[in-house]
Amino acid sequence: MKRILITGAAGFIGSHLAEALKDSGAHLVFLDALNYAGHPENLQAFSDLLTIVPRFGEDLAVVDHTGKVQSLGVPLDADKLPADAREAADPEEFSRLLAQAEAEGRPVLVVANLVNRPVVQQVMARVDRVVHLAAETHVDRSIVHPQRFLASDIWGTYTLLEAARRHPVERFLYVSTDEVYGEVPEGAAAETWPLRPSSPYAASKAAADRLAFAYHRAYGVPVIIARPSNAFGPRQYPEKLIPVMTLLALAHQPLPLYGDGRQRRNWIYVRDLARALVLLLERGKPGTEYNVPGTREIANLDLVRKILDLLGRPHSLIRFVKDRPGHDRRYALTGDRIRALGFTPTHDFDQALRETVVWYREHQDWLRLMMARDAFLREWYRERGLEV
Ligand SMILES: NC(=O)c1ccc[n+]([C@@H]2O[C@H](COP(=O)([O-])OP(=O)(O)OC[C@H]3O[C@@H](n4cnc5c(N)ncnc54)[C@H](O)[C@@H]3O)[C@@H](O)[C@H]2O)c1
């Protein structure tokens, strides 16, 4: 039986990947700090999940640009923890709980930050394969607060790679992004293209992408790199384009669209992406990057119009607002490498978009939960006329 670690499993893509692997016979270990986008409720498919909260280990502190020492760990919101979560006061107790869950065949959620070295080392010693998804992921937030992205996306990846160097694994899949190539005005970026990221988010992902590659070259860690295009589907945190526009349209509120709305993105349904990641974990070649393109390239404006049409709302709800700084006009990927492994997306874009919009309409309880826990999100929607 394989033991697979998924970091970021309480987030959007991670929870879908976890579901895709649920009946694979693998023992699943999830590691997630439960930042504002990570919620144990996203793992509801795992009724026998054992949640473990290590109460030992390390945090990351840095001297910021004003000379102050700052902790960059993600503060844990205790209200998010399931009532039956088990605390591990020290490494011995943690080891005992991990072993017990494995013996009982129960999946485990370890609530810890990637930068917590002793915790990550222990987890790594008990798994055979890794899919590393945990990251700060919102471009807008990265423009306001780049430090968290450097801490989680770069230092967190470094901590995980170091652990894999000391406790060898069979495969280490790093999930990068199409944004590492920067703007692609025409054609499509091949894996051999130079990386020219435009936001602190994309730059931190590019740094981690190359660090992972270097750990393969320098230390032989069996790193495989996935660079997916924009994902969409149920449970995507309601700060990203499709859920934001859907929720505002549902509430008959104006839809703020950056610039002229002509930025083009390529979209992949999250369940197709989860399948692609499973395939790469099994068949990807270490030391190799794989683009994971989606099935539809579309301008943001046309996408938002589709959402309005699906909900029977008028296009006049769209409001053009000041563009985001450094906003790339277009991303596009070649897909020859992953196709050669036998991957083809199976979900039709329009059908998947319809199902996604319906999911948000029917999961107001999920939205209320996100709002209750995230003051920033609550305020953002309240300013735009939506009270949940
Ligand atoms: N969503 C997309 O369209 C897309 C496209 C390409 C690549 N990606 C990449 O896929 C991965 C997952 O994206 P997502 O959209 O599911 O993100 P998400 O924000 O929904 O989830 C991220 C998860 O990582 C956890 N996390 C963040 N920092 C952590 C830390 N320091 N320690 C432990 N856990 C931490 C969060 O708690 C959360 O559960 C990211 O690496 C992202 O860069 C996403």
Side-chain angles (χ1 to χ4, degrees), residues 98-110:
L98 287 175
Q100 185 189 328
E102 194 180 325
E104 290 172 357
R106 290 179 72 180
V108 180
L109 168 62
V110 176

Side-chain angles (χ1 to χ4, degrees), residues 7-15 31-39 42 72 74 80 112-115 132-138 148 151-153 156 174-178 201 205 226-232 235-237 239-240 267 273:
T7 72
F12 166 52
I13 300 172
S15 64
L31 185 130
D32 200 300
L34 304 183
N35 78 356
Y36 71 92
H39 299 264
N42 288 339
L72 288 182
V74 178
K80 280 190 186 178
N113 199 304
L114 287 168
V115 302
H132 176 31
L133 287 141
E136 292 283 339
T137 60
H138 192 215
R148 293 220 167 277
S152 288
D153 301 11
Y174 173 67
V175 182
S176 182
T177 164
D178 61 351
Y201 160 68
K205 293 295 292 182
R227 294 183 182 149
S229 58
N230 272 36
F232 71 103
R235 299 197 294 265
Q236 186 165 32
Y237 200 68
E239 64 187 355
K240 307 276 168 68
W267 292 91
L273 175 53

Side-chain angles (χ1 to χ4, degrees), residues 179 182-186 198 257-266 297-301 320-321 323-332:
E179 298 198 25
E183 187 163 278
V184 181
E186 53 193 41
S198 304
L257 197 56
Y258 281 139
D260 59 5
R262 296 282 169 201
Q263 306 86 356
R264 303 181 72 78
R265 298 291 181 262
N266 184 273
E297 179 178 326
I298 185 169
N300 288 347
L301 177 58
F320 295 100
V321 299
D323 208 353
R324 176 167 80 201
H327 201 170
D328 290 328
R329 299 290 292 176
R330 178 172 177 266
Y331 299 127

Side-chain angles (χ1 to χ4, degrees), residues 110-364:
V110 176
V111 180
N113 199 304
L114 287 168
V115 302
N116 188 333
R117 196 174 50 100
V119 168
V120 166
Q121 298 257 356
Q122 271 203 48
V123 169
M124 195 64 75
R126 292 187 163 273
V127 296
D128 309 300
R129 298 180 171 194
V130 179
V131 186
H132 176 31
L133 287 141
E136 292 283 339
T137 60
H138 192 215
V139 175
D140 291 31
R141 291 193 195 225
S142 85
I143 292 168
V144 185
H145 295 299
Q147 305 94 312
R148 293 220 167 277
F149 289 72
L150 272 60
S152 288
D153 301 11
I154 305 178
W155 198 270
T157 302
Y158 156 71
T159 309
L160 209 60
L161 287 165
E162 265 301 307
R165 182 151 88 93
R166 278 153 213 276
H167 302 283
V169 288
E170 291 167 6
R171 335 270 283 164
F172 186 115
L173 177 61
Y174 173 67
V175 182
S176 182
T177 164
D178 61 351
E179 298 198 25
V180 295
Y181 297 113
E183 187 163 278
V184 181
E186 53 193 41
E191 289 88 348
T192 47
W193 275 33
L195 307 188
R196 300 187 66 239
S198 304
S199 68
Y201 160 68
S204 69
K205 293 295 292 182
D209 174 318
R210 291 301 78 196
L211 190 67
F213 181 76
Y215 266 66
H216 171 69
R217 292 295 298 265
Y219 308 117
V221 177
V223 168
I224 301 152
I225 295 168
R227 294 183 182 149
S229 58
N230 272 36
F232 71 103
R235 299 197 294 265
Q236 186 165 32
Y237 200 68
E239 64 187 355
K240 307 276 168 68
L241 184 72
I242 291 180
V244 163
M245 296 301 168
T246 303
L247 295 169
L248 289 173
L250 275 168
H252 301 270
Q253 295 301 324
L255 274 47
L257 197 56
Y258 281 139
D260 59 5
R262 296 282 169 201
Q263 306 86 356
R264 303 181 72 78
R265 298 291 181 262
N266 184 273
W267 292 91
I268 185 163
Y269 188 50
V270 68
R271 293 190 218 277
D272 276 332
L273 175 53
R275 276 183 40 248
L277 297 179
V278 173
L279 180 75
L280 288 177
L281 188 63
E282 280 164 10
R283 313 242 329 258
K285 188 165 162 265
T288 309
E289 303 87 352
Y290 294 87
N291 287 340
V292 190
T295 52
R296 176 73 58 88
E297 179 178 326
I298 185 169
N300 288 347
L301 177 58
D302 295 329
L303 174 60
V304 171
R305 285 182 176 146
K306 268 182 188 290
I307 294 173
L308 287 167
D309 293 344
L310 284 169
L311 293 170
R313 304 287 193 267
H315 292 186
S316 57
L317 282 178
I318 296 172
R319 300 280 188 284
F320 295 100
V321 299
K322 189 171 175 307
D323 208 353
R324 176 167 80 201
H327 201 170
D328 290 328
R329 299 290 292 176
R330 178 172 177 266
Y331 299 127
L333 297 174
T334 60
D336 306 350
R337 284 190 186 171
I338 193 157
R339 265 196 300 278
L341 291 183
F343 178 70
T344 31
T346 56
H347 288 89
D348 170 69
F349 173 79
D350 288 303
Q351 175 64 21
L353 182 65
R354 190 172 310 120
E355 284 171 19
T356 300
V357 165
V358 168
W359 189 89
Y360 284 102
R361 192 180 62 207
E362 291 178 353
H363 286 79
Q364 296 287 315

